[in-house]
Amino acid sequence: MRCSAPRSESSGVSFFRHTRGSLNTFQRSEGITMSANSSPLSLLLSTYDLTLACGRCYIQENQITFRLRPVEHQCDHQVLLCRAKGGSIWRPVSKRPTFPNPKQYEACWFFKEGLGCTMHKNRCTYAKSDEEAAVWTFEKKHGVDHQFFFNMLVQSKSKPEQKSNTGPQCELFAVLDLKAVCDLCSNKLNEVTYSIQSVIHQCSRSLLLAKGKASHQWKVISDRPTGGTIGPRVLYKVCDYFVEGSGCNKHTAGQGCTYARSFEEATVWNYLRERKIGKAELIRHITESNSVSETPERAAQSILQRFSGKFIEFCKNCFVERPTKLTPKRWNDTCSADAAHTWDPILVHHLSENSSKHICSQVRPLPLKCSFKFCSHVRQGKPCWHQAGHCQAAQSEVEMAVWKAEHSGLSVRPHLLQLSQQDQAQSKQVSLFCKVCLLVLSSPESFYKHCSTLEHAQLLSQDTTTRWRQRQPPHGRRAELWLCDRPETCEYGSKCPKAHSAEELQEWIMRSDEEKEIRRSIETQGLMCYNQQLLDEFRNSSNEVYILSEQVDDVSVSCDEDLTVETENINETLTWNFTVETEVKISI
């Protein structure tokens, strides 16, 4: 027997009474269990109120300020709302961003209601409120995605008699993916982590694997320990001393460590105890549920239920152009671009979170040797800057889901398009997409005008996933960054153009290198504004006359107004109209 003293942690873990024989102690639980007393939502619900609502039962007073109204109706459960205990304001909780993946989420420092994030704009990956950050942290800790958090909340609010009528494995499937495999169709990575491989064989289904809905690692489920000091009402938890590859070096006496080795194993063990069934019976239920063969239609419906938005086909040649063009098909099987060409489609997942923010993620064909990993740039919360055709890794969760379905032999693309077209008609307008600001522009003129804005330039020059600790560097020229000779007595203070510590100088150098890399990438992507392109060409040119000159042969420029104007009104709008006359053909 063992006893651990009660303890409190700031990461938001839940405490359950752990009974072994006559010994009662409070210990941390990592497993998600289904009983009312041991619900993983219990700790979250102790500090926050959660509810699901729809357009008929909520009133949106501002961007993230909602109010509920009592009305008799069948709720569609469209929005998840959260408020602090004792509070009156409900905050919406959106889908948790895939990347970055911090241990604990925080609310954005620069978010202002009605304006959004004034620093990161549409690319902000921080929570909009403390309530949203708390829910995201819960989802991260327990390995569940947003949709299955919905299911858990609905389940926690359902009546006991409703729960008793559910199938023996339905509740478990709400929080875990389960699969019965054997040594031939699985690959053992270590003592608890497995991978699945596709082989043609007669599966003995001797192993039970489970993984959280937001996880990509399968964990093996061993036999549930019983007897001895383990009572019938025990709540299993993950061993605090277990390390993958080394095992548990603490509980070595008697029958060894009887704690679970993963939260998936603790979840399954607690479920088996509550249902009073064995692992073999659960494997039988899983096998029976899988006997109904998966079809492409069902797989497509599952993908659409998991991800919001719709699937659209755009011209592949236009989509990989720089800048990206969103070009649909004409009636005669040609591209809708001005220079019409043969239609070669690419599948794109389009998500519009509001009237201004758009996320267009291409779903490329499944690579021949797919490793089912995410792009290194995307893992850092950035757009993929690899050249077209050079990146073989998945660039979004949607693309990964489609690839996995196709890897299992299901052709889901036609059904994704068909189901998306049933909901909304596709626009025939040609648009341009800014992958940095997540905006869709209706014309080349509006796109290049957008590229010249200050907001676009700010997003290009910063990494929204890194919160720098030191001052902003005075410039991006690495060779001209120095350490101040007397930082403690410097009369310039925070305005000093030199670093006041070795840490600050190191951070400035890192930011300079990163800015150089981003600038090189955005230039190849066609996202650099014309003014910056002209300035770079002027700086790097061997003869500046080739770039900027007051006079050009055979070209005359005149203006209808005096170029020098005196005014006392700061906000006055001034206009000059220039006329360019040339004897040779020029491009502007």
Side-chain angles (χ1 to χ4, degrees):
M1 294 189 297
R2 44 199 158 93
C3 176
S4 63
R7 59 188 178 186
S8 176
E9 299 187 6
S10 60
S11 57
V13 296
S14 55
F15 291 83
F16 302 128
R17 184 170 296 276
H18 188 109
T19 307
R20 295 203 169 189
S22 60
L23 178 64
N24 294 332
T25 63
F26 284 101
Q27 297 188 355
R28 185 180 66 179
S29 173
E30 301 287 349
I32 296 180
T33 56
M34 307 300 155
S35 64
N37 295 331
S38 59
S39 169
L41 289 171
S42 57
L43 185 64
L44 187 63
L45 291 175
S46 67
T47 52
Y48 294 97
D49 293 325
L50 295 168
T51 188
L52 298 173
C54 66
R56 287 177 288 178
C57 57
Y58 74 74
I59 299 174
Q60 185 174 1
E61 298 180 344
N62 209 325
Q63 186 177 359
I64 59 168
T65 301
F66 285 65
R67 178 167 56 86
L68 295 179
R69 57 182 176 185
V71 58
E72 292 291 336
H73 72 297
Q74 184 68 33
C75 187
D76 294 333
H77 294 168
Q78 298 171 337
V79 179
L80 172 62
L81 299 178
C82 178
R83 72 176 179 185
K85 283 287 185 181
S88 59
I89 299 177
W90 290 93
R91 303 295 191 190
V93 179
S94 59
K95 183 180 178 182
R96 179 167 58 99
T98 308
F99 304 106
N101 196 17
K103 183 178 181 180
Q104 183 167 345
Y105 289 89
E106 299 178 2
C108 180
W109 293 352
F110 306 99
F111 180 84
K112 296 181 180 179
E113 187 158 16
L115 300 176
C117 175
T118 57
M119 174 65 71
H120 310 129
K121 306 299 179 181
N122 286 343
R123 286 181 60 199
C124 184
T125 56
Y126 289 93
K128 299 182 182 68
S129 63
D130 292 333
E131 292 83 356
E132 187 173 58
V135 175
W136 285 1
T137 301
F138 176 89
E139 293 177 349
K140 163 70 167 58
K141 174 177 176 54
H142 292 284
V144 297
D145 60 15
H146 200 59
Q147 182 60 45
F148 286 95
F149 184 84
F150 270 48
N151 298 340
M152 293 173 62
L153 186 59
V154 172
Q155 180 184 326
S156 67
K157 294 179 179 294
S158 62
K159 297 180 181 179
E161 57 269 18
Q162 292 176 330
K163 292 185 179 181
S164 62
N165 295 331
T166 60
Q169 76 279 9
C170 292
E171 295 178 2
L172 197 59
F173 282 168
V175 291
L176 293 178
D177 289 332
L178 299 170
K179 190 175 288 290
V181 298
C182 66
D183 293 333
L184 296 177
C185 56
S186 64
N187 182 29
K188 185 177 181 180
L189 304 179
N190 56 48
E191 68 267 43
V192 295
T193 305
Y194 281 65
S195 62
I196 296 175
Q197 53 190 8
S198 299
V199 293
I200 300 176
H201 71 301
Q202 186 67 32
C203 186
S204 62
R205 297 182 175 87
S206 57
L207 297 174
L208 176 61
L209 302 182
K211 70 178 182 68
K213 291 296 182 180
S215 174
H216 300 290
Q217 291 186 334
W218 290 94
K219 303 295 183 180
V220 66
I221 308 300
S222 59
D223 293 331
R224 179 171 66 95
T226 57
T229 59
I230 303 177
R233 298 176 61 84
V234 66
L235 287 172
Y236 297 95
K237 68 173 286 282
V238 178
C239 180
D240 293 332
Y241 306 99
F242 177 79
V243 178
E244 288 194 27
S246 303
C248 173
N249 57 6
K250 180 72 173 179
H251 312 118
T252 56
Q255 57 180 327
C257 184
T258 55
Y259 281 71
R261 297 171 296 178
S262 64
F263 104 89
E264 289 89 350
E265 189 170 59
T267 301
V268 174
W269 283 0
N270 286 320
Y271 189 76
L272 295 178
R273 176 191 59 79
E274 292 172 8
R275 289 288 179 173
K276 297 181 179 179
I277 61 175
K279 188 176 74 170
E281 185 176 353
L282 179 60
I283 291 178
R284 181 176 59 83
H285 287 307
I286 295 172
T287 304
E288 290 176 355
S289 65
N290 292 338
S291 61
V292 180
S293 59
E294 179 79 329
T295 63
E297 294 86 351
R298 289 174 181 165
Q301 290 175 352
S302 176
I303 293 174
L304 284 170
Q305 289 175 357
R306 181 180 176 187
F307 302 101
S308 304
K310 60 181 179 179
F311 289 86
I312 310 173
E313 276 190 334
F314 289 118
C315 175
K316 178 180 179 180
N317 296 329
C318 294
F319 193 87
V320 299
E321 276 187 8
R322 298 298 177 258
T324 299
K325 291 183 180 179
L326 307 179
T327 312
K329 182 175 70 171
R330 278 200 179 103
W331 60 271
N332 58 351
D333 289 339
T334 60
C335 176
S336 298
D338 295 335
H341 47 268
T342 304
W343 175 250
D344 183 14
I346 186 173
L347 185 65
V348 175
H349 177 255
H350 176 246
L351 175 62
S352 177
E353 296 188 1
N354 50 54
S355 58
S356 60
K357 181 177 180 178
H358 299 266
I359 302 176
C360 295
S361 307
Q362 62 173 327
V363 183
R364 298 161 298 163
L366 176 66
L368 294 178
K369 296 182 179 180
C370 183
S371 60
F372 294 100
K373 295 181 180 179
F374 285 101
C375 169
S376 58
H377 291 169
V378 176
R379 284 200 303 268
Q380 300 176 45
K382 305 176 185 178
C384 176
W385 295 118
H386 293 108
Q387 295 182 9
H390 286 208
C391 184
Q392 298 298 314
Q395 297 177 3
S396 65
E397 278 191 295
V398 179
E399 188 171 54
M400 179 71 79
V402 174
W403 281 3
K404 288 183 175 180
E406 292 178 328
H407 182 69
S408 62
L410 301 175
S411 178
V412 296
R413 294 174 185 255
H415 302 284
L416 291 172
L417 284 170
Q418 183 180 0
L419 293 172
S420 298
Q421 291 171 356
Q422 292 174 0
D423 298 333
Q424 189 174 359
Q426 180 177 339
S427 174
K428 298 298 182 181
Q429 182 181 4
V430 179
S431 305
L432 286 88
F433 178 59
C434 177
K435 63 189 297 185
V436 174
C437 303
L438 303 179
L439 291 174
V440 174
L441 291 310
S442 59
S443 66
E445 291 77 12
S446 60
F447 178 83
Y448 292 117
K449 183 178 180 180
H450 161 73
C451 289
S452 300
T453 61
L454 179 61
E455 292 80 3
H456 178 81
Q458 288 176 340
L459 287 178
L460 286 177
S461 62
Q462 66 184 356
D463 173 17
T464 60
T465 66
T466 304
R467 181 169 290 179
W468 302 107
R469 299 181 181 275
Q470 310 298 334
R471 294 178 298 153
Q472 185 173 352
H475 50 75
R477 299 182 295 277
R478 175 173 179 170
E480 300 178 18
L481 296 173
W482 297 292
L483 192 64
C484 183
D485 297 330
R486 41 193 178 86
E488 296 181 358
T489 59
C490 179
E491 62 270 23
Y492 298 106
S494 60
K495 302 296 183 181
C496 181
K498 296 182 180 181
H500 279 187
S501 66
E503 293 78 10
E504 187 171 59
L505 180 62
Q506 182 63 30
E507 183 176 295
W508 283 5
I509 293 175
M510 292 172 59
R511 295 178 71 166
S512 175
D513 293 342
E514 185 175 81
E515 182 180 349
K516 184 178 180 180
E517 178 189 353
I518 293 176
R519 183 180 296 274
R520 187 188 309 113
S521 300
I522 62 178
E523 188 174 358
T524 59
Q525 297 281 335
L527 298 172
M528 183 80 75
C529 69
Y530 176 74
N531 294 344
Q532 188 62 48
Q533 292 181 34
L534 195 63
L535 183 59
D536 290 345
E537 291 179 6
F538 181 78
R539 287 173 176 172
N540 300 325
S541 175
S542 59
N543 191 342
E544 60 187 31
V545 178
Y546 294 148
I547 308 301
L548 294 176
S549 178
E550 295 184 359
Q551 294 182 350
V552 179
D553 294 341
D554 300 325
V555 177
S556 62
V557 181
S558 59
C559 181
D560 60 349
E561 299 287 344
D562 191 353
L563 298 180
T564 303
V565 178
E566 294 182 2
T567 179
E568 297 180 356
N569 187 0
I570 299 177
N571 297 322
E572 184 176 352
T573 301
L574 302 175
T575 304
W576 289 269
N577 296 318
F578 291 89
T579 303
V580 180
E581 298 180 356
T582 176
E583 298 179 3
V584 296
K585 184 178 180 181
I586 61 174
S587 58
I588 300 178

